[in-house]
């Protein structure tokens, strides 16, 4: 195999990987996760690209102390972020699979 063939193969692999990653990111933008805190008093809907789409607060909660409401919102958002990270990691890992990357490098994309 000559160097030109190797370079062409590397370029094809790079284009394929870029295409797979772009597709995965598009899918993540459409994927939604839902998280809640306080037994469902606060619910957060977030995309796999970490965009908060909706925050629902049970009206009964609004009569409580603002500190408690803020803590529940933060907890629900943090849980949604963890879920979105997990979904993102899985989709991007799948996009990188089969690319022949050395161990540890697929997480960079």
């Amino acid at each position: 195999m000559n160097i030109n063939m190797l370079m062409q193969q590397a370029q094809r692999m790079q284009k394929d990987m870029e295409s797979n990653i772009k597709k995965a990111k598009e899918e993540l933008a459409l994927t939604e996760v839902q998280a809640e805190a306080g037994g469902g008093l606060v619910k957060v809907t977030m995309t796999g690209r970490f965009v908060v789409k909706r925050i629902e607060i049970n009206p009964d909660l609004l009569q409580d102390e603002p500190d408690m409401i803020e803590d529940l919102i933060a907890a629900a958002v943090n849980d949604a972020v963890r879920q979105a990270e997990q979904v993102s990691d899985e989709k991007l890992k799948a996009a990188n699979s089969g690319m022949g990357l050395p161990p540890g490098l697929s997480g960079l994309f």
Side-chain angles (χ1 to χ4, degrees):
M1 197 180 285
N2 67 32
I3 191 72
N4 288 333
M5 290 176 71
L6 284 173
M7 291 299 292
Q8 289 174 351
Q9 183 181 11
Q11 288 174 338
R12 277 193 308 274
M13 287 177 66
Q14 181 180 4
K15 285 181 184 179
D16 289 346
M17 184 170 52
E18 288 171 357
S19 174
N20 289 345
I21 290 172
K22 181 180 178 185
K23 183 180 175 187
K25 287 181 178 182
E26 290 169 356
E27 289 175 8
L28 285 170
L30 299 174
T31 302
E32 292 184 354
V33 297
Q34 292 185 335
E36 60 182 54
L41 293 174
V42 174
K43 297 177 184 177
V44 173
T45 302
M46 178 181 287
T47 71
R49 298 283 290 162
F50 307 103
V51 175
V52 175
K53 301 289 273 187
R54 182 178 177 94
I55 296 176
E56 297 175 55
I57 300 172
N58 184 310
D60 296 338
L61 183 61
L62 297 176
Q63 299 176 25
D64 285 331
E65 292 295 318
D67 289 347
M68 184 172 132
I69 298 169
E70 292 166 358
D71 289 345
L72 290 174
I73 292 170
V77 168
N78 288 335
D79 187 32
V81 167
R82 280 189 292 276
Q83 290 182 40
E85 284 176 337
Q86 182 178 9
V87 169
S88 179
D89 288 347
E90 290 170 4
K91 286 204 183 283
L92 292 176
K93 185 176 181 180
N96 289 328
S97 69
M99 289 294 132
L101 295 174
L105 286 185
S106 63
L108 297 176
F109 300 99

